[in-house]
Amino acid sequence: MSYKTILVHADGTPQAEQRIRLAAQVALAHDAHLVGAAMTGLSRHTLPDGSIAAVGTPFPFDLRLLHDRADAALSQFTDCASRLGVPSIEARRVDDAADDGLILQSPYADLLVLSQADPHDHSNSLPARLPQTVMFHSARAVLLVPYAGRFEKIGKQVLVGWNGSASAARAVTAALPMLKRAAAVTVAASPQTGSHGRQTDVPGAELARYLFRHGVDVTLVAQDDDRRAGEALLDLAAASGADLLVMGGYGHQRLHEWLLGGATRTVLREMTLPVLMAH
């Protein structure tokens, strides 16, 4: 597997340039096509009065303001990606809500790049929920960039959070192109149980063998306290100088809200480095 199409959210926010720079770095490293997607923010089915329009019904008002805003975000994307030397780029304007637009495009990319929600924004707005909504519904893994800070490199020193779950396995698979290029990969493994409820001999040992067959050497580190797994992963990332964290994202939907697992909630709220996460 290799990355051939990277999809980055272009929205013109203060976090957009850092997000685009990181997406461009991944595209350059893997000779991938880079798509910048700007959604107008208007659902393709919803009318201004909140009613639902039939598919194909034209909107009865002027969309120029929304289109102008999306086009400005795409101009920022094109300028940034071109300046960084990405040879294959595409600016894509989509008349849709941000979450639906990204989710609908996700099957046609190898990786999605979004930004972490600002933890100081206590509103219940869609942007605050966008990372988790896209992660749980996307066909692909997401690379989340912290809302603050500057990240000049990614994928040289990688930390993998491993608990044997299906979501963790999907995250590792999605990260394989970067793991193969990494100078060092550390697996922080927590105890897990086998199919009959028996604990496996050495947490993470089977994953290490799997990755070795893909040409990836790893260092195993035991992670015992699963109750604070998110904090422990971020602490280990800081101590080891990791520039990328790979982990599964756990949660389930109750009514219209996602109930997040403890580690997922902590990392989404407190991340200090880019995180590749899959559900």
Side-chain angles (χ1 to χ4, degrees):
M1 173 190 172
S2 60
Y3 299 141
K4 289 304 175 186
T5 305
I6 307 295
L7 177 67
V8 60
H9 182 207
D11 62 355
T13 61
Q15 293 80 31
E17 183 170 354
Q18 176 66 76
R19 183 192 321 140
I20 295 166
R21 288 177 62 85
L22 216 58
Q25 183 186 138
V26 176
L28 284 167
H30 298 271
D31 192 26
H33 180 60
L34 180 62
V35 179
M39 277 55 67
T40 59
L42 180 70
S43 171
R44 64 198 184 284
H45 300 316
T46 305
L47 293 172
D49 62 0
S51 61
I52 303 299
V55 175
T57 302
F59 291 111
F61 60 94
D62 194 346
L63 288 175
R64 282 179 297 181
L65 181 61
L66 297 177
H67 286 172
D68 288 347
R69 183 175 61 187
D71 288 344
L74 291 175
S75 292
Q76 179 192 26
F77 159 76
T78 302
D79 291 346
C80 184
S82 298
R83 189 169 62 250
L84 293 171
V86 181
S88 181
I89 62 175
E90 177 185 347
R92 184 181 295 168
R93 187 182 72 194
V94 181
D95 275 326
D96 210 340
D99 55 349
D100 286 342
L102 289 166
I103 291 164
L104 286 172
Q105 295 174 81
S106 67
Y108 316 109
D110 298 304
L111 186 68
L112 276 65
V113 185
L114 289 75
S115 289
Q116 172 201 26
D118 186 342
H120 303 297
D121 180 4
H122 299 293
S123 69
N124 194 36
S125 62
L126 176 63
R129 304 192 307 271
L130 183 64
Q132 66 195 56
T133 301
V134 174
M135 177 188 67
F136 286 126
H137 292 289
S138 171
R140 307 296 184 196
V142 297
L143 175 61
L144 299 173
V145 183
Y147 81 99
R150 193 168 183 85
F151 306 94
E152 300 297 338
K153 60 179 181 178
I154 183 174
K156 296 298 183 184
Q157 305 284 332
V158 183
L159 174 64
V160 177
W162 180 253
N163 61 3
S165 66
S167 59
R170 283 190 282 269
V172 168
T173 300
L176 268 176
M178 282 192 273
L179 296 179
K180 290 179 179 180
R181 290 171 170 264
V185 177
T186 300
V187 173
S190 58
Q192 60 197 75
T193 57
S195 58
H196 300 289
R198 296 191 296 268
Q199 181 173 307
T200 54
D201 293 335
V202 180
E206 196 61 42
L207 176 65
R209 287 189 282 270
Y210 166 79
L211 289 175
F212 179 77
R213 290 190 288 271
H214 278 281
V216 181
D217 288 322
V218 307
T219 299
L220 281 178
V221 176
Q223 183 169 286
D224 297 324
D225 189 358
D226 193 51
R227 293 171 301 177
R228 58 177 301 273
E231 294 94 331
L233 282 172
L234 292 176
D235 288 347
L236 182 56
S240 64
D243 55 39
L244 176 67
L245 171 62
V246 176
M247 63 181 288
Y250 173 76
H252 64 276
Q253 196 166 23
R254 182 178 181 182
L255 297 178
H256 298 294
E257 296 294 328
W258 279 94
L259 301 180
L260 303 180
T264 303
R265 181 174 57 252
T266 297
V267 171
L268 286 176
R269 184 181 63 237
E270 301 178 11
M271 66 175 67
T272 53
L273 74 168
V275 179
L276 191 153
M277 190 177 284
H279 176 53

PDB file of all heavy atoms in Angstrom, residues 9 16 40 59-61 83 90-91 94 118-119 134 165 172 196 199 214 230 239 272:
ATOM      1  N   HIS A   9      -8.707  19.289   4.227  1.00  0.00           N
ATOM      2  CA  HIS A   9      -9.817  20.214   4.422  1.00  0.00           C
ATOM      3  C   HIS A   9      -9.296  21.640   4.281  1.00  0.00           C
ATOM      4  O   HIS A   9      -8.436  22.081   5.041  1.00  0.00           O
ATOM      5  CB  HIS A   9     -10.415  20.002   5.817  1.00  0.00           C
ATOM      6  CG  HIS A   9     -11.591  20.862   6.114  1.00  0.00           C
ATOM      7  ND1 HIS A   9     -11.940  21.232   7.391  1.00  0.00           N
ATOM      8  CD2 HIS A   9     -12.521  21.430   5.293  1.00  0.00           C
ATOM      9  CE1 HIS A   9     -13.026  21.987   7.361  1.00  0.00           C
ATOM     10  NE2 HIS A   9     -13.393  22.119   6.103  1.00  0.00           N
ATOM     11  N   ALA A  16      -5.633  26.527   8.896  1.00  0.00           N
ATOM     12  CA  ALA A  16      -5.599  25.909   7.564  1.00  0.00           C
ATOM     13  C   ALA A  16      -4.184  25.804   6.997  1.00  0.00           C
ATOM     14  O   ALA A  16      -3.830  24.783   6.400  1.00  0.00           O
ATOM     15  CB  ALA A  16      -6.495  26.678   6.604  1.00  0.00           C
ATOM     16  N   THR A  40     -18.928  24.650   0.910  1.00  0.00           N
ATOM     17  CA  THR A  40     -19.578  25.942   1.098  1.00  0.00           C
ATOM     18  C   THR A  40     -20.242  26.038   2.467  1.00  0.00           C
ATOM     19  O   THR A  40     -20.517  27.133   2.954  1.00  0.00           O
ATOM     20  CB  THR A  40     -20.633  26.180   0.008  1.00  0.00           C
ATOM     21  OG1 THR A  40     -21.614  25.135   0.056  1.00  0.00           O
ATOM     22  CG2 THR A  40     -19.994  26.233  -1.364  1.00  0.00           C
ATOM     23  N   PHE A  59     -31.461  25.688  -5.300  1.00  0.00           N
ATOM     24  CA  PHE A  59     -31.614  26.563  -4.145  1.00  0.00           C
ATOM     25  C   PHE A  59     -32.235  27.892  -4.585  1.00  0.00           C
ATOM     26  O   PHE A  59     -31.778  28.480  -5.569  1.00  0.00           O
ATOM     27  CB  PHE A  59     -30.265  26.828  -3.475  1.00  0.00           C
ATOM     28  CG  PHE A  59     -29.695  25.629  -2.802  1.00  0.00           C
ATOM     29  CD1 PHE A  59     -28.556  25.016  -3.318  1.00  0.00           C
ATOM     30  CD2 PHE A  59     -30.281  25.113  -1.669  1.00  0.00           C
ATOM     31  CE1 PHE A  59     -28.030  23.902  -2.701  1.00  0.00           C
ATOM     32  CE2 PHE A  59     -29.745  23.990  -1.046  1.00  0.00           C
ATOM     33  CZ  PHE A  59     -28.628  23.385  -1.559  1.00  0.00           C
ATOM     34  N   PRO A  60     -33.235  28.385  -3.831  1.00  0.00           N
ATOM     35  CA  PRO A  60     -33.927  29.608  -4.250  1.00  0.00           C
ATOM     36  C   PRO A  60     -33.268  30.882  -3.736  1.00  0.00           C
ATOM     37  O   PRO A  60     -33.941  31.828  -3.373  1.00  0.00           O
ATOM     38  CB  PRO A  60     -35.321  29.404  -3.621  1.00  0.00           C
ATOM     39  CG  PRO A  60     -35.032  28.666  -2.357  1.00  0.00           C
ATOM     40  CD  PRO A  60     -33.877  27.751  -2.679  1.00  0.00           C
ATOM     41  N   PHE A  61     -31.933  30.925  -3.663  1.00  0.00           N
ATOM     42  CA  PHE A  61     -31.251  32.129  -3.214  1.00  0.00           C
ATOM     43  C   PHE A  61     -29.835  32.140  -3.780  1.00  0.00           C
ATOM     44  O   PHE A  61     -29.372  31.165  -4.358  1.00  0.00           O
ATOM     45  CB  PHE A  61     -31.235  32.224  -1.681  1.00  0.00           C
ATOM     46  CG  PHE A  61     -30.550  31.072  -1.003  1.00  0.00           C
ATOM     47  CD1 PHE A  61     -29.208  31.148  -0.660  1.00  0.00           C
ATOM     48  CD2 PHE A  61     -31.253  29.913  -0.707  1.00  0.00           C
ATOM     49  CE1 PHE A  61     -28.580  30.090  -0.045  1.00  0.00           C
ATOM     50  CE2 PHE A  61     -30.616  28.853  -0.084  1.00  0.00           C
ATOM     51  CZ  PHE A  61     -29.291  28.931   0.245  1.00  0.00           C
ATOM     52  N   ARG A  83       3.658  26.663  -3.567  1.00  0.00           N
ATOM     53  CA  ARG A  83       4.881  27.221  -2.988  1.00  0.00           C
ATOM     54  C   ARG A  83       5.768  26.123  -2.411  1.00  0.00           C
ATOM     55  O   ARG A  83       7.001  26.216  -2.453  1.00  0.00           O
ATOM     56  CB  ARG A  83       4.504  28.230  -1.907  1.00  0.00           C
ATOM     57  CG  ARG A  83       5.667  29.045  -1.368  1.00  0.00           C
ATOM     58  CD  ARG A  83       5.174  30.189  -0.518  1.00  0.00           C
ATOM     59  NE  ARG A  83       4.441  29.765   0.654  1.00  0.00           N
ATOM     60  CZ  ARG A  83       3.129  29.927   0.834  1.00  0.00           C
ATOM     61  NH1 ARG A  83       2.391  30.503  -0.098  1.00  0.00           N
ATOM     62  NH2 ARG A  83       2.544  29.509   1.939  1.00  0.00           N
ATOM     63  N   GLU A  90      -5.135  19.619  -6.747  1.00  0.00           N
ATOM     64  CA  GLU A  90      -6.492  19.821  -7.252  1.00  0.00           C
ATOM     65  C   GLU A  90      -7.279  20.614  -6.226  1.00  0.00           C
ATOM     66  O   GLU A  90      -7.348  20.212  -5.050  1.00  0.00           O
ATOM     67  CB  GLU A  90      -7.158  18.470  -7.509  1.00  0.00           C
ATOM     68  CG  GLU A  90      -8.603  18.555  -7.963  1.00  0.00           C
ATOM     69  CD  GLU A  90      -9.250  17.180  -8.095  1.00  0.00           C
ATOM     70  OE1 GLU A  90      -8.513  16.165  -8.068  1.00  0.00           O
ATOM     71  OE2 GLU A  90     -10.483  17.121  -8.209  1.00  0.00           O
ATOM     72  N   ALA A  91      -7.871  21.717  -6.641  1.00  0.00           N
ATOM     73  CA  ALA A  91      -8.734  22.522  -5.779  1.00  0.00           C
ATOM     74  C   ALA A  91     -10.178  22.162  -6.079  1.00  0.00           C
ATOM     75  O   ALA A  91     -10.620  22.253  -7.229  1.00  0.00           O
ATOM     76  CB  ALA A  91      -8.497  24.009  -6.019  1.00  0.00           C
ATOM     77  N   VAL A  94     -17.113  22.225  -3.068  1.00  0.00           N
ATOM     78  CA  VAL A  94     -18.243  21.312  -2.923  1.00  0.00           C
ATOM     79  C   VAL A  94     -19.389  22.028  -2.216  1.00  0.00           C
ATOM     80  O   VAL A  94     -19.201  22.589  -1.132  1.00  0.00           O
ATOM     81  CB  VAL A  94     -17.840  20.056  -2.108  1.00  0.00           C
ATOM     82  CG1 VAL A  94     -19.021  19.101  -1.980  1.00  0.00           C
ATOM     83  CG2 VAL A  94     -16.650  19.358  -2.749  1.00  0.00           C
ATOM     84  N   ASP A 118     -10.483  23.411  18.408  1.00  0.00           N
ATOM     85  CA  ASP A 118      -9.917  24.270  19.440  1.00  0.00           C
ATOM     86  C   ASP A 118     -10.566  23.922  20.777  1.00  0.00           C
ATOM     87  O   ASP A 118     -11.772  24.086  20.948  1.00  0.00           O
ATOM     88  CB  ASP A 118     -10.186  25.732  19.089  1.00  0.00           C
ATOM     89  CG  ASP A 118      -9.511  26.703  20.034  1.00  0.00           C
ATOM     90  OD1 ASP A 118      -9.122  26.291  21.146  1.00  0.00           O
ATOM     91  OD2 ASP A 118      -9.385  27.887  19.665  1.00  0.00           O
ATOM     92  N   PRO A 119      -9.808  23.396  21.755  1.00  0.00           N
ATOM     93  CA  PRO A 119     -10.409  22.993  23.032  1.00  0.00           C
ATOM     94  C   PRO A 119     -10.960  24.158  23.838  1.00  0.00           C
ATOM     95  O   PRO A 119     -11.702  23.951  24.802  1.00  0.00           O
ATOM     96  CB  PRO A 119      -9.255  22.297  23.761  1.00  0.00           C
ATOM     97  CG  PRO A 119      -8.024  22.884  23.167  1.00  0.00           C
ATOM     98  CD  PRO A 119      -8.352  23.169  21.736  1.00  0.00           C
ATOM     99  N   VAL A 134     -16.094  13.077  11.296  1.00  0.00           N
ATOM    100  CA  VAL A 134     -15.474  12.559  10.078  1.00  0.00           C
ATOM    101  C   VAL A 134     -14.748  11.255  10.361  1.00  0.00           C
ATOM    102  O   VAL A 134     -14.853  10.284   9.598  1.00  0.00           O
ATOM    103  CB  VAL A 134     -14.519  13.602   9.469  1.00  0.00           C
ATOM    104  CG1 VAL A 134     -13.755  13.002   8.288  1.00  0.00           C
ATOM    105  CG2 VAL A 134     -15.295  14.830   9.012  1.00  0.00           C
ATOM    106  N   SER A 165      -7.273  -3.816  19.409  1.00  0.00           N
ATOM    107  CA  SER A 165      -8.629  -3.592  18.912  1.00  0.00           C
ATOM    108  C   SER A 165      -8.643  -3.478  17.397  1.00  0.00           C
ATOM    109  O   SER A 165      -7.616  -3.238  16.752  1.00  0.00           O
ATOM    110  CB  SER A 165      -9.213  -2.320  19.523  1.00  0.00           C
ATOM    111  OG  SER A 165      -8.500  -1.184  19.067  1.00  0.00           O
ATOM    112  N   VAL A 172      -3.080   1.234  12.256  1.00  0.00           N
ATOM    113  CA  VAL A 172      -1.738   0.762  11.895  1.00  0.00           C
ATOM    114  C   VAL A 172      -1.654   0.487  10.402  1.00  0.00           C
ATOM    115  O   VAL A 172      -0.678   0.871   9.732  1.00  0.00           O
ATOM    116  CB  VAL A 172      -1.379  -0.499  12.705  1.00  0.00           C
ATOM    117  CG1 VAL A 172      -0.130  -1.173  12.140  1.00  0.00           C
ATOM    118  CG2 VAL A 172      -1.159  -0.147  14.171  1.00  0.00           C
ATOM    119  N   HIS A 196     -10.345 -16.432  23.783  1.00  0.00           N
ATOM    120  CA  HIS A 196     -10.973 -17.182  24.867  1.00  0.00           C
ATOM    121  C   HIS A 196     -10.813 -16.477  26.209  1.00  0.00           C
ATOM    122  O   HIS A 196     -10.975 -17.090  27.267  1.00  0.00           O
ATOM    123  CB  HIS A 196     -10.368 -18.590  24.954  1.00  0.00           C
ATOM    124  CG  HIS A 196     -10.551 -19.394  23.696  1.00  0.00           C
ATOM    125  ND1 HIS A 196     -11.777 -19.887  23.298  1.00  0.00           N
ATOM    126  CD2 HIS A 196      -9.682 -19.748  22.724  1.00  0.00           C
ATOM    127  CE1 HIS A 196     -11.644 -20.542  22.152  1.00  0.00           C
ATOM    128  NE2 HIS A 196     -10.378 -20.460  21.779  1.00  0.00           N
ATOM    129  N   GLN A 199      -5.121 -13.700  28.541  1.00  0.00           N
ATOM    130  CA  GLN A 199      -4.203 -12.626  28.162  1.00  0.00           C
ATOM    131  C   GLN A 199      -3.100 -13.181  27.281  1.00  0.00           C
ATOM    132  O   GLN A 199      -2.557 -14.254  27.532  1.00  0.00           O
ATOM    133  CB  GLN A 199      -3.598 -11.996  29.408  1.00  0.00           C
ATOM    134  CG  GLN A 199      -2.643 -10.844  29.098  1.00  0.00           C
ATOM    135  CD  GLN A 199      -2.183 -10.140  30.348  1.00  0.00           C
ATOM    136  OE1 GLN A 199      -2.976  -9.722  31.158  1.00  0.00           O
ATOM    137  NE2 GLN A 199      -0.874 -10.025  30.504  1.00  0.00           N
ATOM    138  N   HIS A 214       6.607  -6.461   7.276  1.00  0.00           N
ATOM    139  CA  HIS A 214       6.442  -5.326   6.368  1.00  0.00           C
ATOM    140  C   HIS A 214       7.705  -4.469   6.313  1.00  0.00           C
ATOM    141  O   HIS A 214       7.694  -3.394   5.709  1.00  0.00           O
ATOM    142  CB  HIS A 214       5.264  -4.452   6.812  1.00  0.00           C
ATOM    143  CG  HIS A 214       3.932  -4.955   6.356  1.00  0.00           C
ATOM    144  ND1 HIS A 214       3.462  -4.768   5.078  1.00  0.00           N
ATOM    145  CD2 HIS A 214       2.980  -5.669   7.018  1.00  0.00           C
ATOM    146  CE1 HIS A 214       2.254  -5.325   4.963  1.00  0.00           C
ATOM    147  NE2 HIS A 214       1.940  -5.885   6.118  1.00  0.00           N
ATOM    148  N   GLY A 230      -4.784   7.688  27.337  1.00  0.00           N
ATOM    149  CA  GLY A 230      -4.569   8.877  26.528  1.00  0.00           C
ATOM    150  C   GLY A 230      -3.467   9.748  27.067  1.00  0.00           C
ATOM    151  O   GLY A 230      -2.567  10.176  26.330  1.00  0.00           O
ATOM    152  N   ALA A 239       8.156  12.474  25.723  1.00  0.00           N
ATOM    153  CA  ALA A 239       9.433  11.985  26.245  1.00  0.00           C
ATOM    154  C   ALA A 239      10.305  11.370  25.153  1.00  0.00           C
ATOM    155  O   ALA A 239      11.539  11.462  25.212  1.00  0.00           O
ATOM    156  CB  ALA A 239       9.179  10.959  27.349  1.00  0.00           C
ATOM    157  N   THR A 272      -0.743  17.036  21.337  1.00  0.00           N
ATOM    158  CA  THR A 272       0.390  17.955  21.212  1.00  0.00           C
ATOM    159  C   THR A 272       1.243  17.648  19.990  1.00  0.00           C
ATOM    160  O   THR A 272       2.283  18.268  19.779  1.00  0.00           O
ATOM    161  CB  THR A 272       1.261  17.875  22.466  1.00  0.00           C
ATOM    162  OG1 THR A 272       1.608  16.497  22.712  1.00  0.00           O
ATOM    163  CG2 THR A 272       0.540  18.427  23.683  1.00  0.00           C
TER     164      THR A 272
END
